[in-house]
Amino acid sequence: MSTSDSTDERPTEPTDEEVVQTAAEAAEGLIFSRYKQSNVRDLDVTVSFEDGVLEVDIYLNAPERDDGTDPKEVADEAARVAREAVDDLFGE
């Protein structure tokens, strides 16, 4: 006979590592949906999650796209997508 109480079935919060990984994967996914990997000269996605604070910093060195899209705009959008992915992870 099992004596588990209902608190054992409460959903757990994601770990800091899961948060960082989710954000990084979302950012990279957006960037590589806009650019071929071979066109990206340099990419640095830095994500930290400490004390409930998410920081996403993206450096993207890629050519301006034919449609006029600036790499800085793509990097900014990737950072927003990363934050949204983490919000989804927390169910917000």
Side-chain angles (χ1 to χ4, degrees):
M1 180 178 232
S2 175
T3 58
S4 67
D5 63 51
S6 63
T7 59
D8 292 341
E9 296 177 21
R10 179 176 29 148
T12 60
E13 291 288 311
T15 65
D16 290 358
E17 184 176 321
E18 290 172 320
V19 170
V20 168
Q21 183 174 350
T22 297
E25 288 174 357
E28 289 175 1
L30 183 277
I31 290 166
F32 290 121
S33 75
R34 303 290 170 84
Y35 288 99
K36 290 181 182 178
Q37 193 166 1
S38 61
N39 289 342
V40 175
R41 297 177 191 126
D42 192 15
L43 173 64
D44 183 31
V45 177
T46 304
V47 180
S48 65
F49 184 69
E50 295 179 22
D51 300 323
V53 177
L54 178 69
E55 291 189 29
V56 180
D57 185 39
I58 299 173
Y59 169 75
L60 173 62
N61 182 350
E64 185 173 300
R65 292 181 14 167
D66 291 339
D67 65 3
T69 301
D70 185 331
K72 181 173 176 10
E73 292 173 8
V74 174
D76 289 345
E77 185 177 356
R80 280 191 301 277
V81 166
R83 287 188 290 275
E84 290 170 3
V86 169
D87 286 346
D88 290 346
L89 186 64
F90 279 97
E92 296 178 1

